[in-house]
Amino acid sequence: MLTFGNEHRSDTILFIANETGTDSMRWYEGIKIFYILSGTAHIHVEKNDHTLTAEDFLVVNAFELHSILLSENSEILEMCIPVSYTHLTLPTNSRV
């Protein structure tokens, strides 16, 4: 199920954010993918700072603390893949 919107909810998988300012540190039980649509975003992940511009993307692992600072007139696409979804795609008995 995909839900589009600007609010952070547990059932929201994909949304577009365009609010400028600093986001508080947070983590999710899911993999986050950030894609910069326009402008600039400063994303802090654990102890690392990343500056992204249009067409850049960043993947944040589940349970990693992160925060976002969007510059004025910036827009970012965020996708969250809940850890619980991985059991739907990963085989239970895999041989390498």
Side-chain angles (χ1 to χ4, degrees), residues 36 38-43 50-53 68-71 74 76:
I36 311 306
S38 62
T40 303
H42 303 280
I43 302 177
H50 306 277
T51 300
L52 307 174
T53 57
I68 304 167
L69 170 64
L70 289 181
S71 299
S74 295
I76 185 172

Side-chain angles (χ1 to χ4, degrees), residues 12-13 28-33 62 79-86:
T12 300
I13 297 174
Y28 290 100
E29 289 187 22
I31 298 165
K32 296 278 296 235
I33 301 171
M79 180 176 181
C80 183
I81 304 168
V83 172
S84 61
Y85 282 24
T86 59

Side-chain angles (χ1 to χ4, degrees), residues 25-81:
M25 292 294 282
R26 63 176 72 191
W27 59 268
Y28 290 100
E29 289 187 22
I31 298 165
K32 296 278 296 235
I33 301 171
F34 298 99
Y35 179 76
I36 311 306
L37 298 169
S38 62
T40 303
H42 303 280
I43 302 177
H44 181 81
V45 182
E46 296 290 331
K47 297 180 180 179
N48 301 305
D49 291 314
H50 306 277
T51 300
L52 307 174
T53 57
E55 299 185 10
D56 288 343
F57 72 94
L58 179 70
V59 178
V60 177
N61 287 320
F63 306 105
E64 282 191 317
L65 283 172
H66 61 279
S67 65
I68 304 167
L69 170 64
L70 289 181
S71 299
E72 196 169 326
N73 299 319
S74 295
E75 199 166 50
I76 185 172
L77 179 68
E78 296 183 34
M79 180 176 181
C80 183
I81 304 168

